């Protein structure tokens, strides 16, 4: 009876571990997509910055000044986005570690549950074998008679 309660408890724990594992997987996917988005933004800014320097033919001084200001702003934005990309990569690495840990905990709990279930089944089989054994039953009957004599 105690083993059956432990198995039920382990099944509940396994459900919790499974939920934790799925949450960590979802967080990993979100961190990966955020990191990819930030890298895409960084690349777009670099491409825009490169486009501003392709045609250096200045029509007017005002146009050249506007072009230089845009280039400076894109360069500043590039630095800011690079910092964000690095932070996103760190978040992705942390999510990967947490996902790995959640998977390991889930696998350990699952293995323990299977072990307990197997042990419980073996015990039940042994009890069934012993109760159907004629010699075992005769011996138990004799013990019962001795107890009744008191």
């Amino acid at each position: 009876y105690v083993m059956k309660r432990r198995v039920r408890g382990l099944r509940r724990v396994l459900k919790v571990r499974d939920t934790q594992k799925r949450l960590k997987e979802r967080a990993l996917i979100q961190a990966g997509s955020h990191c990819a988005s930030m890298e895409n933004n960084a690349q777009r800014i670099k491409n825009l910055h490169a486009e501003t320097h392709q045609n250096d033919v200045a029509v007017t001084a005002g146009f050249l000044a506007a072009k230089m200001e845009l280039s400076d702003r894109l360069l500043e934005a590039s630095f800011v986005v690079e910092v964000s990309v690095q932070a996103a990569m760190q978040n992705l690495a942390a999510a990967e570690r947490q996902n790995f840990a959640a998977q390991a905990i889930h696998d350990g709990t699952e293995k323990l549950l299977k072990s307990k279930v197997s042990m419980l089944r073996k015990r039940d089989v042994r009890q069934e074998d012993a109760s159907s054994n004629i010699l075992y039953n005769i011996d138990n009957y004799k013990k019962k008679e001795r107890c009744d004599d008191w």
Side-chain angles (χ1 to χ4, degrees):
Y1 179 73
V2 173
M3 279 291 274
K4 288 182 182 180
R5 278 193 1 227
R6 286 184 184 162
V7 167
R8 279 196 306 257
L10 279 173
R11 284 192 177 128
R12 284 192 301 270
V13 169
L14 185 62
K15 285 181 184 177
V16 170
R17 300 286 188 243
D18 188 48
T19 302
Q20 289 172 338
K21 184 182 80 154
R22 282 187 275 130
L23 286 173
K24 297 299 179 185
E25 288 171 350
R26 198 170 298 138
L28 178 63
I29 291 169
Q30 288 175 346
S33 67
H34 179 68
C35 186
S37 172
M38 294 306 293
E39 288 174 341
N40 185 29
N41 289 343
Q43 188 60 45
R44 287 174 52 204
I45 289 173
K46 286 178 185 175
N47 290 344
L48 283 173
H49 186 262
E51 286 177 17
T52 59
H53 291 291
Q54 281 180 351
N55 300 327
D56 282 300
V57 178
V59 176
T60 63
F63 180 72
L64 181 61
K67 195 173 185 181
M68 293 305 289
E69 182 182 349
L70 176 62
S71 177
D72 289 342
R73 287 187 180 194
L74 286 172
L75 193 59
E76 288 175 24
S78 177
F79 292 138
V80 170
V81 169
E82 282 300 321
V83 170
S84 297
V85 166
Q86 293 300 318
M89 286 180 166
Q90 289 175 352
N91 289 340
L92 178 61
E96 286 174 341
R97 287 190 303 272
Q98 289 177 353
N99 184 49
F100 182 75
Q103 181 68 41
I105 290 170
H106 178 270
D107 291 347
T109 305
E110 192 173 38
K111 189 183 262 185
L112 182 63
L113 176 64
K114 286 180 182 178
S115 170
K116 293 289 184 184
V117 167
S118 173
M119 191 183 310
L120 186 62
R121 286 183 181 153
K122 286 178 185 176
R123 192 188 73 191
D124 288 346
V125 166
R126 266 189 253 121
Q127 285 178 350
E128 287 175 10
D129 287 348
S131 64
S132 64
N133 187 338
I134 294 173
L135 296 175
Y136 175 82
N137 289 330
I138 290 172
D139 193 38
N140 281 343
Y141 185 73
K142 288 179 183 176
K143 286 179 186 174
K144 185 179 177 190
E145 282 181 352
R146 279 186 245 139
C147 290
D148 291 340
D149 290 343
W150 290 92

